[in-house]
């Protein structure tokens, strides 16, 4: 470790909050004003520790007999050889000391897509959010048209989008230095659009081709889309941690999907979201062949025979218990 030396104050997540340069050893740490590095920490002593050259030229940090000491990896140390990666705690302050010869990696590839932030993506996100609110309201509206019934969902949708995206923008400003509200609005709007597109497309295809599974398990697709939205929010805040965030969102989706299956089983006795296909469209949209009345009655007879057999077993079982 060669001079000059750089003392870095670290956040809990390891990010550098402040960097202070000292030209030579020894370096004195403490709360007093006669130190080389002053700690604004009530749990640090006026003269807490000193960093000096060891016998073999290494940098050695020595505790000056304080109450709280110097902590490394959760253990108190009277003295400790520091390398550029050694993290210590003095009081409630986390520190790291690096010399001018500490190697740093090459610059990272900029994947933040700066063109997808700002006013234009934000407006697009708000438009997508408003369209989602209006379309979903229209699909569920069975009464005569009234403007107020569309304005309220529109206002609520945009308000929720601003609150959701604003929270992510605050986190982005706190942990990533820039708010990027426009991109977070765009991500939110795209997520809602994906949910709506799947709902409409899956309903049409399920009805046309008798693919009931597309609507019976639609909640799991929505969960995956929500996990994807959260993933894109997270990588906007911290682009270089995409793999970790992808794993976390995958686990989140699996847990949410599993809880949904369990809830459906407890509520209806089936793992599907619906007991039957609830989407009805004009008969002209059907592609699958229609089943005859005889086929329907045959299925009913088969189901009746199975239910009668189950009912008979249950009656016998109840009778045996009474005896």
């Amino acid at each position: 470790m060669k001079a000059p030396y750089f003392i870095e104050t670290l956040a809990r997540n390891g990010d550098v909050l402040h960097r202070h340069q000292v030209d030579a050893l020894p370096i004195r740490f403490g709360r007093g004003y006669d130190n080389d590095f002053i700690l604004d920490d009530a749990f640090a002593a006026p003269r807490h520790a000193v960093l000096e050259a060891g016998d073999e030229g290494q940098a050695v940090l020595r505790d000056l007999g304080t109450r709280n000491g110097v902590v490394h990896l959760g253990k108190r140390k009277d003295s400790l050889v520091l390398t550029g990666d050694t993290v210590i705690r003095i009081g409630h302050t986390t520190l790291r000391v690096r010399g001018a010869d500490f190697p740093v990696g090459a610059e990272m590839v900029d994947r933040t897509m700066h063109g997808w932030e700002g006013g234009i993506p934000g407006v697009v996100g708000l438009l997508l959010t408003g369209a989602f609110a209006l379309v979903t309201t229209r699909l569920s509206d069975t009464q005569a048209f009234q403007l107020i019934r569309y304005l309220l969902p529109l206002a609520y949708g945009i308000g929720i989008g601003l609150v959701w995206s604003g929270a992510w923008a605050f986190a982005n400003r706190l942990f990533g230095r820039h708010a990027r509200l426009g991109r977070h609005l765009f991500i939110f709007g795209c997520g809602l659009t994906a949910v709506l597109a799947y709902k409409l497309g899956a309903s049409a295809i399920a009805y046309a081709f008798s693919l009931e599974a597309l609507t019976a398990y639609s909640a799991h697709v929505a969960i995956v889309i929500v996990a994807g939205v959260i993933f894109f929010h997270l990588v906007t805040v911290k682009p270089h941690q995409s793999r970790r965030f992808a794993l976390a969102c995958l686990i989140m989706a699996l847990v949410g999907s599993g809880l949904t299956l369990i809830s459906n089983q407890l509520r209806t006795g089936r793992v599907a979201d619906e007991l039957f296909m609830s989407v009805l469209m004009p008969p002209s949209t059907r592609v699958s062949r229609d089943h005859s009345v005889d086929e329907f009655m045959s299925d009913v007879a088969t189901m009746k025979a199975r239910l009668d057999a189950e009912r008979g077993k249950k009656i016998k079982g109840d009778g045996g218990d009474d005896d």
Side-chain angles (χ1 to χ4, degrees):
M1 188 181 296
K2 296 183 179 180
Y5 304 94
F6 297 88
I7 306 169
E8 297 175 341
T9 305
L10 306 179
R12 294 180 64 89
N13 61 357
D15 289 345
V16 178
L17 299 176
H18 177 71
R19 187 176 286 112
H20 177 74
Q21 178 178 338
V22 180
D23 294 329
L25 298 178
I27 303 174
R28 295 170 296 173
F29 298 81
R31 197 158 35 89
Y33 288 97
D34 57 345
N35 292 283
D36 302 296
F37 185 79
I38 300 174
L39 293 163
D40 188 15
D41 186 337
F43 297 92
R47 295 173 181 80
H48 200 106
V50 60
L51 181 65
E52 52 194 3
D55 297 336
E56 300 179 1
Q58 72 272 40
V60 179
L61 183 69
R62 182 167 53 87
D63 178 30
L64 298 178
T66 60
R67 290 182 177 179
N68 298 319
V70 175
V71 178
H72 173 62
L73 298 178
K75 297 181 179 180
R76 180 168 177 167
K77 302 289 185 179
D78 294 329
S79 64
L80 179 67
V81 176
L82 299 188
T83 66
D85 292 322
T86 305
V87 177
I88 61 170
R89 179 167 56 82
I90 296 178
H92 286 185
T93 305
T94 304
L95 301 172
R96 179 175 61 199
V97 181
R98 287 179 170 175
D101 58 341
F102 185 84
V104 296
E107 72 275 16
M108 297 177 59
V109 178
D110 189 357
R111 304 184 186 277
T112 54
M113 297 183 294
H114 296 283
W116 288 95
E117 58 187 48
I120 294 178
V123 171
V124 173
L126 289 176
L127 290 176
L128 292 175
T129 302
F132 173 85
L134 294 176
V135 172
T136 52
T137 303
R138 175 57 182 164
L139 291 176
S140 60
D141 190 8
T142 58
Q143 303 177 15
F145 175 80
Q146 289 185 357
L147 183 60
I148 189 64
R149 289 208 304 272
Y150 290 83
L151 292 179
L152 286 177
L154 177 63
Y156 288 145
I158 292 178
I160 292 172
L162 289 172
V163 171
W164 172 272
S165 303
W168 282 105
F170 176 77
N172 213 142
R173 180 66 180 86
L174 189 63
F175 299 106
R177 300 183 182 180
H178 303 284
R180 296 193 169 99
L181 175 61
R183 187 184 302 182
H184 289 295
L185 284 169
F186 181 76
I187 293 170
F188 180 77
C190 288
L192 293 181
T193 303
V195 171
L196 180 61
Y198 178 81
K199 180 180 179 181
L200 297 178
S203 298
I205 295 173
Y207 182 79
F209 296 96
S210 297
L211 299 176
E212 187 176 353
L214 291 178
T215 57
Y217 298 96
S218 58
H220 304 281
V221 178
I223 290 172
V224 171
I225 293 175
V226 171
V229 168
I230 294 175
F231 168 76
F232 283 110
H233 281 307
L234 289 171
V235 296
T236 299
V237 177
K238 290 287 187 181
H240 59 283
Q241 298 184 8
S242 58
R243 291 185 179 180
R244 183 182 303 176
F245 292 149
L247 178 60
C249 291
L250 176 61
I251 294 174
M252 184 189 309
L254 292 176
V255 171
S257 183
L259 292 176
T260 300
L261 292 174
I262 295 173
S263 176
N264 291 342
Q265 180 66 34
L266 293 175
R267 182 168 49 88
T268 64
R270 296 180 56 185
V271 295
D273 300 331
E274 300 176 339
L275 296 178
F276 53 88
M277 186 182 298
S278 60
V279 178
L280 295 177
M281 293 186 175
S284 59
T285 60
R286 289 279 296 172
V287 176
S288 298
R289 72 178 184 87
D290 294 330
H291 296 275
S292 65
V293 176
D294 292 338
E295 289 178 308
F296 175 76
M297 296 306 297
S298 176
D299 292 338
V300 171
T302 302
M303 181 175 64
K304 181 177 182 301
R306 186 177 69 252
L307 293 176
D308 289 342
E310 293 178 355
R311 188 181 302 112
K313 292 179 181 179
K314 183 177 181 181
I315 292 175
K316 291 180 180 180
D318 293 341
D321 292 340
D322 292 339
D323 294 339

